[in-house]
Amino acid sequence: MKYDYILMRYGEIALKGRNRKKFIHRLHENVLGKLKEFPAIKIKSDRDRMYILLNGENPEPIITKCKNIFGIQSISLAIKVENDEIQIKQAALHALTEAIGAKTFKITAKRINKKFPIGSQEMNQILGGHLLSNTDGYTVDVHYPDVEINVETREDATYITSNKILGAGGLPVGTAGKTLLLLSGGIDSPVAGYMTMKRGVQLEIIHFHSPPFTNDRAKQKVFDLAEQLTSFGGKIKIHMVPFTNLQQRIYSEIPHGYSMTVMRRVMMKISEAVAKKEKILSLTTGESLGQVASQTMESMNAINDVTNYPILRPLIAMDKEEIITVSQKINTYDISIRPYEDCCTIFVPSSPKTKPRKEKVLQFESAMDFTEDLKNTINQIEVVEITKASKEDDEFSDLL
Ligand code: ATP
Ligand code: MG
């Protein structure tokens, strides 16, 4: 007898009422997509569980991959047996002897199939007694057991599991629509992308670059960040915006104290245009209140003024330290700190206004006519599709 299944418990999906089917279907698709390289396995989704029949595959790399999939609360190895007392006893014994280092145990039986003649409490006692009399050196500890053996008797079968591995939580990516993430080469925006994905949102990315002031390595950095994010949810489309012309104009025609504000406003306008074209209903940024000049209340107000599109700012109330911790866990940090500058750092004036006045912004902008340049820039956007994280997923394994 051996572990032949992986059992995955859904997270918040359970709360989704009538949408539940849709959520489960999406999660099923996401898991299938992630486990393509294991052709022998079979996946089955129930109302509250997903089962992966291993068919001889090694469970470890599969579990490692599943730990990155949003919508899964916990994962356990499982033995599936018939609803038969003798088989259940054998499986429980196997689960106990396989639990390395365990000296104390607890049985938690759950009878979901009420037609099964043995009740939960009775099953606890039967199995506890069976394990004690067929092993040496184990004792029962109902409060702090080294291993808890769960025995679930369902309609079709009984599943015996031990040790719950924490899943990624959140909602399945693709169940909450799409957002257009403004991704720089910095630390914050990839974390913002990860956090929106965790709530079930699929990403497209927009990046502004200014060749030849920004080089190919800066561009590669953005591709690598996007690639890391794909390990949480499939392929990602990136819109690369050639920003050189507009940035140079802003830098030379707008008084320096205001050039950053105007540049951000233009970025927002272009992002909104791309989102609309792609039928994406929101933008996402890595802004965090008070972190830099563009993220004061006054700046955000002046920048936000060009759009009434919803802007998601998942990091708005986080400290830099907290953001860094997440970026390290999701393996974007080391990419983000590569020293290649992005367009915004190159063209940032030495002292941007932290409290820009809106009338001034409008006044300076009205002296410039962007219309033609905006149109040209949007027409020249290059689209790149990033499909797969090249790094092994197990680098994320302690994240979740
Ligand atoms: P990050 O670490 O994400 O770069 P930051 O703290 O450096 O953020 P800013 O440089 O002010 O802050 O950028 C604020 C937000 O604007 C970023 O989080 C990102 O969403 C967006 N942004 C900045 N530069 C770019 C760019 N070149 N392309 C796309 N989006 C950008
Ligand atoms: Mg930045």
Side-chain angles (χ1 to χ4, degrees), residues 276-308:
K276 280 192 172 149
K277 201 166 117 222
E278 298 285 314
K279 300 193 168 51
I280 297 173
L281 301 183
S282 69
L283 306 176
T284 297
T285 73
E287 288 163 300
S288 155
L289 197 56
Q291 202 187 79
V292 288
S294 63
Q295 295 167 28
T296 63
M297 203 66 89
E298 290 80 359
S299 276
M300 291 208 300
N301 188 291
I303 294 164
N304 217 147
D305 213 37
V306 293
T307 175
N308 54 17

Side-chain angles (χ1 to χ4, degrees), residues 183-191 221-222 224-225 228 327-328 330-341:
L183 184 75
S184 68
I187 294 170
D188 304 330
S189 39
V191 173
K221 187 175 166 182
V222 171
D224 289 349
L225 286 170
Q228 285 304 73
S327 77
Q328 285 167 335
I330 62 170
N331 264 347
T332 52
Y333 182 77
D334 286 342
I335 305 171
S336 293
I337 60 170
R338 287 183 204 159
Y340 317 115
E341 293 191 278

Side-chain angles (χ1 to χ4, degrees), residues 188-319:
D188 304 330
S189 39
V191 173
Y194 161 78
M195 288 176 71
T196 42
M197 288 173 107
K198 184 165 183 180
R199 297 310 297 164
V201 179
Q202 208 177 336
L203 293 188
E204 281 196 22
I205 285 172
I206 186 164
H207 175 73
F208 295 80
H209 65 139
S210 295
F213 302 101
T214 58
N215 60 25
D216 275 354
R217 283 183 291 188
K219 204 169 158 184
Q220 188 58 43
K221 187 175 166 182
V222 171
F223 294 160
D224 289 349
L225 286 170
E227 196 179 333
Q228 285 304 73
L229 290 173
T230 62
S231 70
F232 301 101
K235 60 181 180 222
I236 297 177
K237 207 162 153 187
I238 308 186
H239 304 262
M240 298 292 287
V241 185
F243 207 33
T244 319
N245 184 23
L246 274 168
Q247 270 198 312
Q248 281 180 313
R249 278 198 62 198
I250 294 166
Y251 200 67
S252 60
E253 294 173 43
I254 301 282
H256 278 190
Y258 276 82
S259 61
M260 186 270 299
T261 312
V262 172
M263 182 184 80
R264 296 280 180 202
R265 284 163 61 92
V266 173
M267 285 167 77
M268 281 297 168
K269 278 191 195 165
I270 294 175
S271 301
E272 184 192 295
V274 170
K276 280 192 172 149
K277 201 166 117 222
E278 298 285 314
K279 300 193 168 51
I280 297 173
L281 301 183
S282 69
L283 306 176
T284 297
T285 73
E287 288 163 300
S288 155
L289 197 56
Q291 202 187 79
V292 288
S294 63
Q295 295 167 28
T296 63
M297 203 66 89
E298 290 80 359
S299 276
M300 291 208 300
N301 188 291
I303 294 164
N304 217 147
D305 213 37
V306 293
T307 175
N308 54 17
Y309 229 62
I311 302 180
L312 311 182
R313 297 182 173 91
L315 313 187
I316 198 70
M318 283 171 80
D319 292 347

